Amino acid sequence: MFKKILAFPRKLIGYITEINRTKATDMMSFEVNEMENLFAILLFGSFMGLPAPPAAMAIELLPYMENELRLMVSRADFAQDAIASVMDILHVD
Amino acid sequence: MKKIAFFMGKGGVGKTTISATVAYQLSRENKKVLIVSLDPAHNLGDVFEKKLTNEKRPLGANLDGVEIDLSAWVARYLKESRNEIRSNYLYHSAINLENYVNILKYSPGTEEYAVLWAIEYIYREYAAAYDIIIFDTPPTALTLRFLAMPSITSLWVGQLSKMREKILKKRQTILAVNPKASIVRNRPLEDGGDEDVPVQGATDKKNDKIYIKLSGISARLTELQRLFSHESYLSVVVNPDTLSLSEALRIREELDRLGVHINSVCLNKTSAEGAGRENVEKNFGGCPVFMSPLLTEGVRAVSDLSVIDVEGVKNDLKAAE
Ligand SMILES: Nc1ncnc2c1ncn2[C@@H]1O[C@H](COP(=O)(O)OP(=O)(O)O)[C@@H](O)[C@H]1O
Ligand SMILES: [Mg+2]
């Protein structure tokens, strides 16, 4: 009887934990996507006249950056955010 | 003797002449010498009265020559990049990468990047077979840019590697919390992609292609930096005039900033009495100054290369470790 009473809260805790876990990873996924975006901006900043490594060096990484590039280009706020993004990068030591 | 020598200086001071003379005379002393022209306005071949190309050619006993065709190096590099992109990309990308790769030809930095890889290639290919590789350099601006490139690019590569490492760590954390999480964004369904299939990108430095590539570039740049700072003999050629002297001083200053130090100054086209020597010595305090008097008849034939006096710089180069 006692066991049965506890079963429901236990299940509930289980659900909540899972929801929280997904929430937590969603947040982290968002963060990691942002970082990948910044990585691409840092590398291909010369597209927008930002200080950037030599384009010829960036090209060497281009073949492996399909996802990041798509992410970077798909961002509607890309142009406006560029400077802010670089400011952020400067905090990422 | 050092493995590599660079002769730098203002246009017309005699970089090509001095490089060719030192190369020629060393080859006469039974040293195996390769002379390489990095100057897009190639005139090294004229000095030897032979047509030089991208493939090395014999210029005499113990002496071979190559002219680096920078535009061919750039073209080859772009072609390789294009092919690699084509074979790696799953989707035809929204951005026109072909265009990006094409305009790269005119991007700042591309020329000096090509010079670097050309030097790396020459060194790898020929350092073992020759006692010395002598480089006839392009105009000062380009020379300084390619000498500076390893340290500048290394800074970028270092920062990018750090950031990449953070991304990989974050991915690991996400997967630790939720092993089913998709850590790499996929192409949206409406775009013909498969967004709902989780993509498990690399989480480890050892199998992340971007990180591996960055490390590869970093290693190559470090090696080039070592080549310039430790394996190279650097000499600045000046004439008795003030313009060539101020350019030489600028070169030394820029190189010092890069941690690369010149070994000597060649005062070329001086008089028998050594006109201008005092002034050069005063300005280059401590650095040996070697003199090559002007041949009044000019340099007309290969045989003149045994007449031009480069004893000082040649012996200093041989003694440099
Ligand atoms: N010691 C010298 N005596 C006579 N003529 C010289 C001497 N050194 C160089 N020259 C001449 O000066 C000109 C420029 O020399 P060059 O070696 O082509 O300069 P750089 O490669 O620095 O542009 C050439 O015509 C060359 O023959
Ligand atoms: Mg020349």
mmCIF file with all atom_site columns, all heavy atoms in Angstrom, chain A residues 21 31 47 56 59-60 62 64 66-67 71, chain B residues 77 81 84 89-91 100 113 170 177 185:
data_model
loop_
_atom_site.group_PDB
_atom_site.id
_atom_site.type_symbol
_atom_site.label_atom_id
_atom_site.label_alt_id
_atom_site.label_comp_id
_atom_site.label_asym_id
_atom_site.label_entity_id
_atom_site.label_seq_id
_atom_site.pdbx_PDB_ins_code
_atom_site.Cartn_x
_atom_site.Cartn_y
_atom_site.Cartn_z
_atom_site.occupancy
_atom_site.B_iso_or_equiv
_atom_site.pdbx_formal_charge
_atom_site.auth_seq_id
_atom_site.auth_comp_id
_atom_site.auth_asym_id
_atom_site.auth_atom_id
_atom_site.pdbx_PDB_model_num
ATOM 1   N N   . ARG A 1 21  ? 16.389 17.427 -17.905 1.00 0.00 ? 21  ARG A N   1
ATOM 2   C CA  . ARG A 1 21  ? 17.588 17.002 -18.595 1.00 0.00 ? 21  ARG A CA  1
ATOM 3   C C   . ARG A 1 21  ? 17.557 17.510 -20.054 1.00 0.00 ? 21  ARG A C   1
ATOM 4   O O   . ARG A 1 21  ? 18.519 18.058 -20.563 1.00 0.00 ? 21  ARG A O   1
ATOM 5   C CB  . ARG A 1 21  ? 17.664 15.482 -18.562 1.00 0.00 ? 21  ARG A CB  1
ATOM 6   C CG  . ARG A 1 21  ? 19.030 14.959 -18.880 1.00 0.00 ? 21  ARG A CG  1
ATOM 7   C CD  . ARG A 1 21  ? 19.091 13.473 -18.687 1.00 0.00 ? 21  ARG A CD  1
ATOM 8   N NE  . ARG A 1 21  ? 19.293 13.105 -17.292 1.00 0.00 ? 21  ARG A NE  1
ATOM 9   C CZ  . ARG A 1 21  ? 19.178 11.862 -16.838 1.00 0.00 ? 21  ARG A CZ  1
ATOM 10  N NH1 . ARG A 1 21  ? 18.807 10.889 -17.641 1.00 0.00 ? 21  ARG A NH1 1
ATOM 11  N NH2 . ARG A 1 21  ? 19.424 11.596 -15.585 1.00 0.00 ? 21  ARG A NH2 1
ATOM 12  N N   . GLU A 1 31  ? 23.906 26.833 -26.786 1.00 0.00 ? 31  GLU A N   1
ATOM 13  C CA  . GLU A 1 31  ? 25.189 27.471 -26.500 1.00 0.00 ? 31  GLU A CA  1
ATOM 14  C C   . GLU A 1 31  ? 26.291 26.965 -27.435 1.00 0.00 ? 31  GLU A C   1
ATOM 15  O O   . GLU A 1 31  ? 27.076 27.735 -27.973 1.00 0.00 ? 31  GLU A O   1
ATOM 16  C CB  . GLU A 1 31  ? 25.577 27.138 -25.057 1.00 0.00 ? 31  GLU A CB  1
ATOM 17  C CG  . GLU A 1 31  ? 26.117 28.298 -24.283 1.00 0.00 ? 31  GLU A CG  1
ATOM 18  C CD  . GLU A 1 31  ? 26.413 27.859 -22.867 1.00 0.00 ? 31  GLU A CD  1
ATOM 19  O OE1 . GLU A 1 31  ? 25.526 27.252 -22.214 1.00 0.00 ? 31  GLU A OE1 1
ATOM 20  O OE2 . GLU A 1 31  ? 27.546 28.106 -22.429 1.00 0.00 ? 31  GLU A OE2 1
ATOM 21  N N   . PHE A 1 47  ? 34.801 37.825 -44.846 1.00 0.00 ? 47  PHE A N   1
ATOM 22  C CA  . PHE A 1 47  ? 33.575 37.988 -45.634 1.00 0.00 ? 47  PHE A CA  1
ATOM 23  C C   . PHE A 1 47  ? 32.944 39.349 -45.372 1.00 0.00 ? 47  PHE A C   1
ATOM 24  O O   . PHE A 1 47  ? 32.292 39.917 -46.227 1.00 0.00 ? 47  PHE A O   1
ATOM 25  C CB  . PHE A 1 47  ? 32.535 36.931 -45.240 1.00 0.00 ? 47  PHE A CB  1
ATOM 26  C CG  . PHE A 1 47  ? 32.742 35.584 -45.864 1.00 0.00 ? 47  PHE A CG  1
ATOM 27  C CD1 . PHE A 1 47  ? 33.891 35.302 -46.561 1.00 0.00 ? 47  PHE A CD1 1
ATOM 28  C CD2 . PHE A 1 47  ? 31.770 34.606 -45.754 1.00 0.00 ? 47  PHE A CD2 1
ATOM 29  C CE1 . PHE A 1 47  ? 34.081 34.061 -47.128 1.00 0.00 ? 47  PHE A CE1 1
ATOM 30  C CE2 . PHE A 1 47  ? 31.952 33.356 -46.318 1.00 0.00 ? 47  PHE A CE2 1
ATOM 31  C CZ  . PHE A 1 47  ? 33.115 33.085 -47.007 1.00 0.00 ? 47  PHE A CZ  1
ATOM 32  N N   . ALA A 1 56  ? 43.502 32.399 -47.210 1.00 0.00 ? 56  ALA A N   1
ATOM 33  C CA  . ALA A 1 56  ? 44.056 31.146 -47.714 1.00 0.00 ? 56  ALA A CA  1
ATOM 34  C C   . ALA A 1 56  ? 44.158 30.094 -46.614 1.00 0.00 ? 56  ALA A C   1
ATOM 35  O O   . ALA A 1 56  ? 44.051 28.899 -46.868 1.00 0.00 ? 56  ALA A O   1
ATOM 36  C CB  . ALA A 1 56  ? 45.431 31.391 -48.325 1.00 0.00 ? 56  ALA A CB  1
ATOM 37  N N   . ILE A 1 59  ? 40.530 28.848 -45.910 1.00 0.00 ? 59  ILE A N   1
ATOM 38  C CA  . ILE A 1 59  ? 40.116 27.908 -46.957 1.00 0.00 ? 59  ILE A CA  1
ATOM 39  C C   . ILE A 1 59  ? 40.466 26.467 -46.607 1.00 0.00 ? 59  ILE A C   1
ATOM 40  O O   . ILE A 1 59  ? 39.746 25.539 -46.935 1.00 0.00 ? 59  ILE A O   1
ATOM 41  C CB  . ILE A 1 59  ? 40.811 28.292 -48.297 1.00 0.00 ? 59  ILE A CB  1
ATOM 42  C CG1 . ILE A 1 59  ? 39.988 29.354 -48.999 1.00 0.00 ? 59  ILE A CG1 1
ATOM 43  C CG2 . ILE A 1 59  ? 40.984 27.102 -49.197 1.00 0.00 ? 59  ILE A CG2 1
ATOM 44  C CD1 . ILE A 1 59  ? 38.820 28.805 -49.771 1.00 0.00 ? 59  ILE A CD1 1
ATOM 45  N N   . GLU A 1 60  ? 41.556 26.290 -45.911 1.00 0.00 ? 60  GLU A N   1
ATOM 46  C CA  . GLU A 1 60  ? 41.963 24.922 -45.575 1.00 0.00 ? 60  GLU A CA  1
ATOM 47  C C   . GLU A 1 60  ? 40.958 24.237 -44.663 1.00 0.00 ? 60  GLU A C   1
ATOM 48  O O   . GLU A 1 60  ? 40.886 23.015 -44.614 1.00 0.00 ? 60  GLU A O   1
ATOM 49  C CB  . GLU A 1 60  ? 43.348 24.924 -44.914 1.00 0.00 ? 60  GLU A CB  1
ATOM 50  C CG  . GLU A 1 60  ? 44.431 25.394 -45.861 1.00 0.00 ? 60  GLU A CG  1
ATOM 51  C CD  . GLU A 1 60  ? 45.808 24.907 -45.464 1.00 0.00 ? 60  GLU A CD  1
ATOM 52  O OE1 . GLU A 1 60  ? 45.949 23.714 -45.170 1.00 0.00 ? 60  GLU A OE1 1
ATOM 53  O OE2 . GLU A 1 60  ? 46.726 25.737 -45.446 1.00 0.00 ? 60  GLU A OE2 1
ATOM 54  N N   . LEU A 1 62  ? 37.686 25.084 -44.717 1.00 0.00 ? 62  LEU A N   1
ATOM 55  C CA  . LEU A 1 62  ? 36.383 25.141 -45.380 1.00 0.00 ? 62  LEU A CA  1
ATOM 56  C C   . LEU A 1 62  ? 35.770 23.757 -45.674 1.00 0.00 ? 62  LEU A C   1
ATOM 57  O O   . LEU A 1 62  ? 34.585 23.553 -45.451 1.00 0.00 ? 62  LEU A O   1
ATOM 58  C CB  . LEU A 1 62  ? 36.520 25.972 -46.660 1.00 0.00 ? 62  LEU A CB  1
ATOM 59  C CG  . LEU A 1 62  ? 35.276 26.623 -47.249 1.00 0.00 ? 62  LEU A CG  1
ATOM 60  C CD1 . LEU A 1 62  ? 34.489 27.380 -46.217 1.00 0.00 ? 62  LEU A CD1 1
ATOM 61  C CD2 . LEU A 1 62  ? 35.677 27.548 -48.391 1.00 0.00 ? 62  LEU A CD2 1
ATOM 62  N N   . TYR A 1 64  ? 35.663 21.183 -44.053 1.00 0.00 ? 64  TYR A N   1
ATOM 63  C CA  . TYR A 1 64  ? 35.103 20.508 -42.878 1.00 0.00 ? 64  TYR A CA  1
ATOM 64  C C   . TYR A 1 64  ? 34.076 21.361 -42.156 1.00 0.00 ? 64  TYR A C   1
ATOM 65  O O   . TYR A 1 64  ? 33.684 21.056 -41.049 1.00 0.00 ? 64  TYR A O   1
ATOM 66  C CB  . TYR A 1 64  ? 36.233 20.133 -41.911 1.00 0.00 ? 64  TYR A CB  1
ATOM 67  C CG  . TYR A 1 64  ? 37.365 19.461 -42.618 1.00 0.00 ? 64  TYR A CG  1
ATOM 68  C CD1 . TYR A 1 64  ? 38.572 20.110 -42.797 1.00 0.00 ? 64  TYR A CD1 1
ATOM 69  C CD2 . TYR A 1 64  ? 37.190 18.194 -43.177 1.00 0.00 ? 64  TYR A CD2 1
ATOM 70  C CE1 . TYR A 1 64  ? 39.602 19.515 -43.493 1.00 0.00 ? 64  TYR A CE1 1
ATOM 71  C CE2 . TYR A 1 64  ? 38.206 17.589 -43.880 1.00 0.00 ? 64  TYR A CE2 1
ATOM 72  C CZ  . TYR A 1 64  ? 39.405 18.246 -44.037 1.00 0.00 ? 64  TYR A CZ  1
ATOM 73  O OH  . TYR A 1 64  ? 40.415 17.649 -44.731 1.00 0.00 ? 64  TYR A OH  1
ATOM 74  N N   . GLU A 1 66  ? 30.965 22.487 -43.298 1.00 0.00 ? 66  GLU A N   1
ATOM 75  C CA  . GLU A 1 66  ? 29.660 22.584 -43.940 1.00 0.00 ? 66  GLU A CA  1
ATOM 76  C C   . GLU A 1 66  ? 28.560 22.987 -42.958 1.00 0.00 ? 66  GLU A C   1
ATOM 77  O O   . GLU A 1 66  ? 27.806 23.918 -43.198 1.00 0.00 ? 66  GLU A O   1
ATOM 78  C CB  . GLU A 1 66  ? 29.295 21.268 -44.625 1.00 0.00 ? 66  GLU A CB  1
ATOM 79  C CG  . GLU A 1 66  ? 28.069 21.417 -45.493 1.00 0.00 ? 66  GLU A CG  1
ATOM 80  C CD  . GLU A 1 66  ? 27.692 20.129 -46.217 1.00 0.00 ? 66  GLU A CD  1
ATOM 81  O OE1 . GLU A 1 66  ? 28.256 19.079 -45.884 1.00 0.00 ? 66  GLU A OE1 1
ATOM 82  O OE2 . GLU A 1 66  ? 26.838 20.199 -47.104 1.00 0.00 ? 66  GLU A OE2 1
ATOM 83  N N   . ASN A 1 67  ? 28.505 22.280 -41.823 1.00 0.00 ? 67  ASN A N   1
ATOM 84  C CA  . ASN A 1 67  ? 27.470 22.585 -40.823 1.00 0.00 ? 67  ASN A CA  1
ATOM 85  C C   . ASN A 1 67  ? 27.570 23.996 -40.281 1.00 0.00 ? 67  ASN A C   1
ATOM 86  O O   . ASN A 1 67  ? 26.593 24.724 -40.211 1.00 0.00 ? 67  ASN A O   1
ATOM 87  C CB  . ASN A 1 67  ? 27.570 21.596 -39.663 1.00 0.00 ? 67  ASN A CB  1
ATOM 88  C CG  . ASN A 1 67  ? 26.810 20.332 -39.962 1.00 0.00 ? 67  ASN A CG  1
ATOM 89  O OD1 . ASN A 1 67  ? 25.634 20.389 -40.314 1.00 0.00 ? 67  ASN A OD1 1
ATOM 90  N ND2 . ASN A 1 67  ? 27.480 19.202 -39.867 1.00 0.00 ? 67  ASN A ND2 1
ATOM 91  N N   . LEU A 1 71  ? 24.982 27.166 -40.672 1.00 0.00 ? 71  LEU A N   1
ATOM 92  C CA  . LEU A 1 71  ? 24.483 27.839 -39.478 1.00 0.00 ? 71  LEU A CA  1
ATOM 93  C C   . LEU A 1 71  ? 24.743 29.338 -39.561 1.00 0.00 ? 71  LEU A C   1
ATOM 94  O O   . LEU A 1 71  ? 23.865 30.164 -39.327 1.00 0.00 ? 71  LEU A O   1
ATOM 95  C CB  . LEU A 1 71  ? 25.200 27.240 -38.267 1.00 0.00 ? 71  LEU A CB  1
ATOM 96  C CG  . LEU A 1 71  ? 24.751 27.646 -36.878 1.00 0.00 ? 71  LEU A CG  1
ATOM 97  C CD1 . LEU A 1 71  ? 23.330 27.157 -36.652 1.00 0.00 ? 71  LEU A CD1 1
ATOM 98  C CD2 . LEU A 1 71  ? 25.683 27.016 -35.839 1.00 0.00 ? 71  LEU A CD2 1
ATOM 99  N N   . TYR B 2 77  ? 46.817 25.321 -55.347 1.00 0.00 ? 77  TYR B N   1
ATOM 100 C CA  . TYR B 2 77  ? 46.246 25.345 -54.011 1.00 0.00 ? 77  TYR B CA  1
ATOM 101 C C   . TYR B 2 77  ? 44.722 25.485 -54.061 1.00 0.00 ? 77  TYR B C   1
ATOM 102 O O   . TYR B 2 77  ? 43.981 24.782 -53.372 1.00 0.00 ? 77  TYR B O   1
ATOM 103 C CB  . TYR B 2 77  ? 46.893 26.514 -53.278 1.00 0.00 ? 77  TYR B CB  1
ATOM 104 C CG  . TYR B 2 77  ? 46.387 26.769 -51.907 1.00 0.00 ? 77  TYR B CG  1
ATOM 105 C CD1 . TYR B 2 77  ? 46.781 25.968 -50.854 1.00 0.00 ? 77  TYR B CD1 1
ATOM 106 C CD2 . TYR B 2 77  ? 45.513 27.830 -51.667 1.00 0.00 ? 77  TYR B CD2 1
ATOM 107 C CE1 . TYR B 2 77  ? 46.320 26.212 -49.585 1.00 0.00 ? 77  TYR B CE1 1
ATOM 108 C CE2 . TYR B 2 77  ? 45.052 28.085 -50.398 1.00 0.00 ? 77  TYR B CE2 1
ATOM 109 C CZ  . TYR B 2 77  ? 45.463 27.268 -49.355 1.00 0.00 ? 77  TYR B CZ  1
ATOM 110 O OH  . TYR B 2 77  ? 44.996 27.518 -48.111 1.00 0.00 ? 77  TYR B OH  1
ATOM 111 N N   . SER B 2 81  ? 41.757 22.820 -52.905 1.00 0.00 ? 81  SER B N   1
ATOM 112 C CA  . SER B 2 81  ? 40.698 23.194 -51.954 1.00 0.00 ? 81  SER B CA  1
ATOM 113 C C   . SER B 2 81  ? 39.334 22.914 -52.550 1.00 0.00 ? 81  SER B C   1
ATOM 114 O O   . SER B 2 81  ? 38.450 22.374 -51.882 1.00 0.00 ? 81  SER B O   1
ATOM 115 C CB  . SER B 2 81  ? 40.779 24.679 -51.607 1.00 0.00 ? 81  SER B CB  1
ATOM 116 O OG  . SER B 2 81  ? 42.038 24.995 -51.120 1.00 0.00 ? 81  SER B OG  1
ATOM 117 N N   . GLU B 2 84  ? 38.516 19.281 -52.571 1.00 0.00 ? 84  GLU B N   1
ATOM 118 C CA  . GLU B 2 84  ? 38.273 18.763 -51.230 1.00 0.00 ? 84  GLU B CA  1
ATOM 119 C C   . GLU B 2 84  ? 36.889 19.169 -50.743 1.00 0.00 ? 84  GLU B C   1
ATOM 120 O O   . GLU B 2 84  ? 36.194 18.380 -50.101 1.00 0.00 ? 84  GLU B O   1
ATOM 121 C CB  . GLU B 2 84  ? 39.360 19.267 -50.280 1.00 0.00 ? 84  GLU B CB  1
ATOM 122 C CG  . GLU B 2 84  ? 39.604 18.310 -49.156 1.00 0.00 ? 84  GLU B CG  1
ATOM 123 C CD  . GLU B 2 84  ? 40.726 18.757 -48.233 1.00 0.00 ? 84  GLU B CD  1
ATOM 124 O OE1 . GLU B 2 84  ? 41.495 19.672 -48.613 1.00 0.00 ? 84  GLU B OE1 1
ATOM 125 O OE2 . GLU B 2 84  ? 40.823 18.215 -47.145 1.00 0.00 ? 84  GLU B OE2 1
ATOM 126 N N   . TYR B 2 89  ? 31.435 17.909 -48.973 1.00 0.00 ? 89  TYR B N   1
ATOM 127 C CA  . TYR B 2 89  ? 30.119 18.484 -48.681 1.00 0.00 ? 89  TYR B CA  1
ATOM 128 C C   . TYR B 2 89  ? 29.011 17.554 -49.126 1.00 0.00 ? 89  TYR B C   1
ATOM 129 O O   . TYR B 2 89  ? 29.024 17.030 -50.239 1.00 0.00 ? 89  TYR B O   1
ATOM 130 C CB  . TYR B 2 89  ? 29.981 19.853 -49.355 1.00 0.00 ? 89  TYR B CB  1
ATOM 131 C CG  . TYR B 2 89  ? 30.596 20.966 -48.535 1.00 0.00 ? 89  TYR B CG  1
ATOM 132 C CD1 . TYR B 2 89  ? 31.808 20.779 -47.882 1.00 0.00 ? 89  TYR B CD1 1
ATOM 133 C CD2 . TYR B 2 89  ? 29.964 22.203 -48.408 1.00 0.00 ? 89  TYR B CD2 1
ATOM 134 C CE1 . TYR B 2 89  ? 32.384 21.774 -47.136 1.00 0.00 ? 89  TYR B CE1 1
ATOM 135 C CE2 . TYR B 2 89  ? 30.543 23.222 -47.657 1.00 0.00 ? 89  TYR B CE2 1
ATOM 136 C CZ  . TYR B 2 89  ? 31.752 22.997 -47.025 1.00 0.00 ? 89  TYR B CZ  1
ATOM 137 O OH  . TYR B 2 89  ? 32.312 23.996 -46.275 1.00 0.00 ? 89  TYR B OH  1
ATOM 138 N N   . LEU B 2 90  ? 28.055 17.357 -48.220 1.00 0.00 ? 90  LEU B N   1
ATOM 139 C CA  . LEU B 2 90  ? 26.933 16.468 -48.527 1.00 0.00 ? 90  LEU B CA  1
ATOM 140 C C   . LEU B 2 90  ? 25.922 17.162 -49.409 1.00 0.00 ? 90  LEU B C   1
ATOM 141 O O   . LEU B 2 90  ? 25.305 16.569 -50.274 1.00 0.00 ? 90  LEU B O   1
ATOM 142 C CB  . LEU B 2 90  ? 26.236 16.041 -47.230 1.00 0.00 ? 90  LEU B CB  1
ATOM 143 C CG  . LEU B 2 90  ? 27.065 15.148 -46.314 1.00 0.00 ? 90  LEU B CG  1
ATOM 144 C CD1 . LEU B 2 90  ? 26.342 14.953 -44.989 1.00 0.00 ? 90  LEU B CD1 1
ATOM 145 C CD2 . LEU B 2 90  ? 27.303 13.806 -46.972 1.00 0.00 ? 90  LEU B CD2 1
ATOM 146 N N   . TYR B 2 91  ? 25.712 18.445 -49.149 1.00 0.00 ? 91  TYR B N   1
ATOM 147 C CA  . TYR B 2 91  ? 24.687 19.187 -49.878 1.00 0.00 ? 91  TYR B CA  1
ATOM 148 C C   . TYR B 2 91  ? 25.338 20.299 -50.672 1.00 0.00 ? 91  TYR B C   1
ATOM 149 O O   . TYR B 2 91  ? 26.371 20.816 -50.282 1.00 0.00 ? 91  TYR B O   1
ATOM 150 C CB  . TYR B 2 91  ? 23.694 19.801 -48.893 1.00 0.00 ? 91  TYR B CB  1
ATOM 151 C CG  . TYR B 2 91  ? 23.157 18.822 -47.914 1.00 0.00 ? 91  TYR B CG  1
ATOM 152 C CD1 . TYR B 2 91  ? 23.697 18.739 -46.641 1.00 0.00 ? 91  TYR B CD1 1
ATOM 153 C CD2 . TYR B 2 91  ? 22.124 17.959 -48.264 1.00 0.00 ? 91  TYR B CD2 1
ATOM 154 C CE1 . TYR B 2 91  ? 23.220 17.819 -45.723 1.00 0.00 ? 91  TYR B CE1 1
ATOM 155 C CE2 . TYR B 2 91  ? 21.643 17.041 -47.361 1.00 0.00 ? 91  TYR B CE2 1
ATOM 156 C CZ  . TYR B 2 91  ? 22.190 16.967 -46.091 1.00 0.00 ? 91  TYR B CZ  1
ATOM 157 O OH  . TYR B 2 91  ? 21.721 16.058 -45.198 1.00 0.00 ? 91  TYR B OH  1
ATOM 158 N N   . TYR B 2 100 ? 33.732 32.076 -53.635 1.00 0.00 ? 100 TYR B N   1
ATOM 159 C CA  . TYR B 2 100 ? 34.629 32.432 -52.546 1.00 0.00 ? 100 TYR B CA  1
ATOM 160 C C   . TYR B 2 100 ? 36.045 31.953 -52.859 1.00 0.00 ? 100 TYR B C   1
ATOM 161 O O   . TYR B 2 100 ? 37.013 32.686 -52.714 1.00 0.00 ? 100 TYR B O   1
ATOM 162 C CB  . TYR B 2 100 ? 34.134 31.828 -51.239 1.00 0.00 ? 100 TYR B CB  1
ATOM 163 C CG  . TYR B 2 100 ? 35.038 32.119 -50.074 1.00 0.00 ? 100 TYR B CG  1
ATOM 164 C CD1 . TYR B 2 100 ? 35.314 33.437 -49.694 1.00 0.00 ? 100 TYR B CD1 1
ATOM 165 C CD2 . TYR B 2 100 ? 35.624 31.099 -49.347 1.00 0.00 ? 100 TYR B CD2 1
ATOM 166 C CE1 . TYR B 2 100 ? 36.145 33.716 -48.633 1.00 0.00 ? 100 TYR B CE1 1
ATOM 167 C CE2 . TYR B 2 100 ? 36.460 31.365 -48.284 1.00 0.00 ? 100 TYR B CE2 1
ATOM 168 C CZ  . TYR B 2 100 ? 36.722 32.673 -47.927 1.00 0.00 ? 100 TYR B CZ  1
ATOM 169 O OH  . TYR B 2 100 ? 37.556 32.933 -46.878 1.00 0.00 ? 100 TYR B OH  1
ATOM 170 N N   . TYR B 2 113 ? 51.096 33.474 -48.475 1.00 0.00 ? 113 TYR B N   1
ATOM 171 C CA  . TYR B 2 113 ? 50.785 32.110 -48.062 1.00 0.00 ? 113 TYR B CA  1
ATOM 172 C C   . TYR B 2 113 ? 51.375 31.128 -49.077 1.00 0.00 ? 113 TYR B C   1
ATOM 173 O O   . TYR B 2 113 ? 51.979 30.120 -48.709 1.00 0.00 ? 113 TYR B O   1
ATOM 174 C CB  . TYR B 2 113 ? 49.264 31.952 -47.994 1.00 0.00 ? 113 TYR B CB  1
ATOM 175 C CG  . TYR B 2 113 ? 48.778 30.954 -46.964 1.00 0.00 ? 113 TYR B CG  1
ATOM 176 C CD1 . TYR B 2 113 ? 48.942 31.196 -45.606 1.00 0.00 ? 113 TYR B CD1 1
ATOM 177 C CD2 . TYR B 2 113 ? 48.138 29.786 -47.353 1.00 0.00 ? 113 TYR B CD2 1
ATOM 178 C CE1 . TYR B 2 113 ? 48.483 30.300 -44.661 1.00 0.00 ? 113 TYR B CE1 1
ATOM 179 C CE2 . TYR B 2 113 ? 47.669 28.881 -46.417 1.00 0.00 ? 113 TYR B CE2 1
ATOM 180 C CZ  . TYR B 2 113 ? 47.843 29.146 -45.072 1.00 0.00 ? 113 TYR B CZ  1
ATOM 181 O OH  . TYR B 2 113 ? 47.389 28.249 -44.147 1.00 0.00 ? 113 TYR B OH  1
ATOM 182 N N   . LYS B 2 170 ? 32.102 21.038 -24.648 1.00 0.00 ? 170 LYS B N   1
ATOM 183 C CA  . LYS B 2 170 ? 30.664 21.277 -24.452 1.00 0.00 ? 170 LYS B CA  1
ATOM 184 C C   . LYS B 2 170 ? 29.858 20.120 -25.015 1.00 0.00 ? 170 LYS B C   1
ATOM 185 O O   . LYS B 2 170 ? 28.892 19.668 -24.414 1.00 0.00 ? 170 LYS B O   1
ATOM 186 C CB  . LYS B 2 170 ? 30.255 22.574 -25.167 1.00 0.00 ? 170 LYS B CB  1
ATOM 187 C CG  . LYS B 2 170 ? 30.312 23.795 -24.291 1.00 0.00 ? 170 LYS B CG  1
ATOM 188 C CD  . LYS B 2 170 ? 28.950 24.445 -24.090 1.00 0.00 ? 170 LYS B CD  1
ATOM 189 C CE  . LYS B 2 170 ? 28.859 25.106 -22.716 1.00 0.00 ? 170 LYS B CE  1
ATOM 190 N NZ  . LYS B 2 170 ? 29.661 26.320 -22.583 1.00 0.00 ? 170 LYS B NZ  1
ATOM 191 N N   . VAL B 2 177 ? 25.057 14.311 -20.190 1.00 0.00 ? 177 VAL B N   1
ATOM 192 C CA  . VAL B 2 177 ? 23.757 14.548 -19.561 1.00 0.00 ? 177 VAL B CA  1
ATOM 193 C C   . VAL B 2 177 ? 22.664 13.805 -20.317 1.00 0.00 ? 177 VAL B C   1
ATOM 194 O O   . VAL B 2 177 ? 21.789 13.192 -19.730 1.00 0.00 ? 177 VAL B O   1
ATOM 195 C CB  . VAL B 2 177 ? 23.449 16.063 -19.524 1.00 0.00 ? 177 VAL B CB  1
ATOM 196 C CG1 . VAL B 2 177 ? 22.068 16.312 -18.940 1.00 0.00 ? 177 VAL B CG1 1
ATOM 197 C CG2 . VAL B 2 177 ? 24.508 16.799 -18.728 1.00 0.00 ? 177 VAL B CG2 1
ATOM 198 N N   . ARG B 2 185 ? 23.895 20.483 -35.459 1.00 0.00 ? 185 ARG B N   1
ATOM 199 C CA  . ARG B 2 185 ? 22.671 20.865 -36.147 1.00 0.00 ? 185 ARG B CA  1
ATOM 200 C C   . ARG B 2 185 ? 22.628 20.239 -37.518 1.00 0.00 ? 185 ARG B C   1
ATOM 201 O O   . ARG B 2 185 ? 23.602 20.262 -38.252 1.00 0.00 ? 185 ARG B O   1
ATOM 202 C CB  . ARG B 2 185 ? 22.669 22.374 -36.321 1.00 0.00 ? 185 ARG B CB  1
ATOM 203 C CG  . ARG B 2 185 ? 21.877 23.045 -35.282 1.00 0.00 ? 185 ARG B CG  1
ATOM 204 C CD  . ARG B 2 185 ? 20.786 23.842 -35.988 1.00 0.00 ? 185 ARG B CD  1
ATOM 205 N NE  . ARG B 2 185 ? 20.492 25.005 -35.199 1.00 0.00 ? 185 ARG B NE  1
ATOM 206 C CZ  . ARG B 2 185 ? 20.346 26.206 -35.707 1.00 0.00 ? 185 ARG B CZ  1
ATOM 207 N NH1 . ARG B 2 185 ? 20.516 26.399 -37.005 1.00 0.00 ? 185 ARG B NH1 1
ATOM 208 N NH2 . ARG B 2 185 ? 20.059 27.203 -34.944 1.00 0.00 ? 185 ARG B NH2 1
#
